[in-house]
């Protein structure tokens, strides 16, 4: 295999990893896709610098939103420290059960934390669902960014690379 072929395989692998990583809270999968974009840019010089800058800004915004959206939901719905810690513990335990387990672990941890923190069950469920919604919104945003960037990369690869 030539160097170009290895580069194409690496770029496609990075795109796939970026999309999968986008499903995990707080992991910036889009950043992995952006690295693939930079590899294509430096090899084929096929994207404009404006395009690279716009996507860099989108990546920074996606990362900031991913980290701060759950915090914003927490403040908006008045979560307790118990909820925050139990949510984190549930997420870490859930990592061992796929990304879905991680998200469900976070939800169950948030509910347990609210109940242990002295909230009524109905209030705890509402707050747990709000945390879940905030996390899911940030995951969907990251996933959209990763998929769109991967499509740009794939289209550009089919245009410039010699298969």
């Amino acid at each position: 295999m030539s160097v170009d072929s290895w580069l194409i395989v690496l770029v496609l692998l990075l795109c796939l990893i970026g999309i999968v990583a986008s499903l995990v809270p707080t992991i910036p999968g889009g950043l992995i896709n952006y690295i693939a974009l930079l590899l294509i840019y430096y090899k084929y010089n096929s994207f404009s610098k404006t395009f690279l800058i716009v996507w860099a800004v989108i990546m920074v915004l996606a990362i900031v939103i991913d980290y701060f959206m759950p915090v914003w939901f927490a403040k908006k719905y008045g979560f307790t420290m118990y909820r925050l810690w139990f949510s984190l513990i549930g997420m870490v335990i859930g990592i061992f059960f796929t990304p879905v387990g991680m998200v469900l672990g976070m939800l169950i941890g948030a509910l347990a934390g609210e109940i242990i923190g002295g909230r009524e069950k109905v209030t705890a469920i509402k707050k747990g669902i709000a945390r879940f919604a905030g996390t899911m919104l940030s995951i969907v945003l990251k996933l959209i960014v990763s998929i769109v960037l991967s499509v740009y990369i794939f289209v550009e690869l089919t245009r410039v690379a010699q298969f």
Side-chain angles (χ1 to χ4, degrees), residues 63-122:
I63 291 168
V64 168
I65 289 171
D66 183 41
Y67 284 109
F68 289 109
M69 187 176 287
V71 173
W72 179 78
F73 268 79
K75 286 184 178 182
K76 181 176 180 179
Y77 291 98
F79 293 139
T80 63
M81 286 306 291
Y82 286 108
R83 195 234 27 104
L84 291 173
W85 283 107
F86 276 79
S87 177
L88 180 64
I89 291 168
M91 186 173 71
V92 170
I93 291 171
I95 287 174
F96 299 107
F97 302 101
T98 73
V100 173
M102 185 172 60
V103 172
L104 289 176
M106 179 186 55
L107 175 62
I108 292 167
L111 293 172
E114 288 295 320
I115 292 170
I116 290 171
R119 303 264 185 172
E120 293 179 16
K121 288 182 183 180
V122 174

Side-chain angles (χ1 to χ4, degrees), residues 2-9 11 36-47 153 156-163:
S2 69
V3 175
D4 285 352
S5 298
W6 281 109
L7 179 69
I8 292 169
V9 168
V11 165
L37 178 75
L38 290 176
L39 288 174
I40 295 300
Y41 172 75
Y42 287 117
K43 173 62 179 169
Y44 299 107
N45 201 18
S46 56
F47 295 107
I153 291 168
E156 193 61 23
L157 273 178
T158 57
R159 189 179 73 75
V160 297
Q162 304 297 323
F163 291 104

Side-chain angles (χ1 to χ4, degrees), residues 114-154:
E114 288 295 320
I115 292 170
I116 290 171
R119 303 264 185 172
E120 293 179 16
K121 288 182 183 180
V122 174
T123 304
I125 290 171
K126 287 180 184 177
K127 293 182 182 299
I129 290 172
R131 164 69 172 163
F132 181 73
T135 301
M136 292 310 296
L137 283 173
S138 67
I139 288 173
V140 167
L141 172 72
K142 289 189 317 179
L143 188 60
I144 289 170
V145 167
S146 288
I147 289 172
V148 169
L149 189 54
S150 293
V151 168
Y152 272 116
I153 291 168
F154 182 74

